[in-house]
Amino acid sequence: NAGVTQTPKFQVLKTGQSMTLQCAQDMNHEYMSWYRQDPGMGLRLIHYSVGAGITDQGEVPNGYNVSRSTTEDFPLRLLSAAPSQTSVYFCASRTRLSGNTIYFGEGSWLTVV
Amino acid sequence: SQKIEQNSEALNIQEGKTATLTCNYTNYSPAYLQWYRQDPGRGPVFLLLIRENEKEKRKERLKVTFDTTLKQSLFHITASQPADSATYLCALDPRGNSNSGYALNFGKGTSLLVTP
């Protein structure tokens, strides 16, 4: 199993550009989520999904869209990138069968200039 | 509002000593609490989960305590090694439900440095 795979690892965007961070998991987990991590702020939840076709907002959803067309994939879209979205993004998944443990991807470093 | 507080200052200890990290929370009624380890440039990795009806949990050199009256968890690493140097995160389910399933709230983490 590859676990949770995120791409790209690093990305530089210009203000106003759009892009999609990809996330895939091969563990058949029903729950997936996106966090961002900023210095001094810790991990903050952006969006989450409890199953294919179902998504909801977390703590800091503005400027981001998500969709969950399959169990495996949970892409995060930045609609019009802003410097405030410069951050490290982590995708995560979990299943009730794993005892509430969250499995994280390796992160995507995004810089908006 | 719900808050999770961890020591913001880095903890520096000598190899072989016991490291103790603290997690305090307010406005939560957690069914369980989790600890994660994060190395620089990597995603967090799960270490231990302790449930509200458990006072203590151990895994090899790791020990976690959970006091729901004090609203506090302590995370201990005994016989610490330089390889234990990392940031340690405490996490709680904001809904206080073991089956809410969607995500956890994380503390900001405490950086641990173990020197030889």
Side-chain angles (χ1 to χ4, degrees):
Chain A
N1 285 349
V4 180
T5 303
Q6 292 182 232
T7 56
K9 182 81 170 178
F10 300 98
Q11 182 73 48
V12 178
L13 281 180
K14 293 182 179 179
T15 297
Q17 285 185 319
S18 62
M19 78 156 297
T20 300
L21 298 178
Q22 301 291 344
C23 176
Q25 53 93 6
D26 61 358
M27 298 174 283
N28 201 32
H29 285 178
E30 56 270 39
Y31 308 124
M32 296 186 74
S33 51
W34 277 101
Y35 292 84
R36 61 178 288 175
Q37 189 173 39
D38 303 290
M41 298 296 293
L43 285 160
R44 292 183 292 170
L45 181 66
I46 305 172
H47 285 284
Y48 65 95
S49 168
V50 298
I54 306 170
T55 64
D56 207 343
Q57 297 180 349
E59 179 185 357
V60 288
N62 293 340
Y64 307 94
N65 272 356
V66 292
S67 60
R68 184 97 181 271
S69 57
T70 66
T71 300
E72 294 78 19
D73 299 300
F74 191 44
L76 179 72
R77 297 184 186 85
L78 281 71
L79 308 172
S80 177
S84 61
Q85 294 178 303
T86 294
S87 188
V88 183
Y89 292 85
F90 289 100
C91 180
S93 73
R94 67 187 288 193
T95 173
R96 282 187 294 265
L97 301 177
S98 72
N100 303 311
T101 300
I102 291 186
Y103 296 84
F104 284 89
E106 288 299 294
S108 296
W109 272 253
L110 176 66
T111 301
V112 183
V113 298
Chain B
S1 61
Q2 293 176 319
K3 287 186 180 179
I4 302 172
E5 295 182 346
Q6 297 186 250
N7 308 40
S8 57
E9 292 185 10
L11 179 62
N12 292 344
I13 64 168
Q14 196 172 14
E15 182 176 10
K17 302 292 186 183
T18 296
T20 298
L21 286 67
T22 304
C23 174
N24 294 301
Y25 59 91
T26 55
N27 295 322
Y28 280 92
S29 297
Y32 57 89
L33 182 147
Q34 300 188 25
W35 284 89
Y36 288 75
R37 167 181 173 144
Q38 186 173 23
D39 292 287
R42 308 294 297 273
V45 175
F46 170 77
L47 294 175
L48 280 169
L49 179 153
I50 185 165
R51 301 191 183 280
E52 59 178 339
N53 59 349
E54 298 175 317
K55 295 297 184 186
E56 181 180 297
K57 198 98 174 258
R58 292 175 185 263
K59 178 182 177 183
E60 297 174 352
R61 295 183 296 110
L62 308 180
K63 184 179 84 171
V64 172
T65 62
F66 193 16
D67 190 325
T68 56
T69 301
L70 291 178
K71 296 186 182 300
Q72 180 181 81
S73 175
L74 299 178
F75 178 81
H76 306 272
I77 305 176
T78 58
S80 60
Q81 304 167 359
D84 295 326
S85 298
T87 296
Y88 292 85
L89 308 172
C90 140
L92 291 169
D93 186 326
R95 296 186 180 185
N97 181 338
S98 62
N99 289 319
S100 69
Y102 70 101
L104 298 175
N105 285 351
F106 285 81
K108 295 177 183 179
T110 298
S111 176
L112 172 67
L113 179 63
V114 181
T115 53

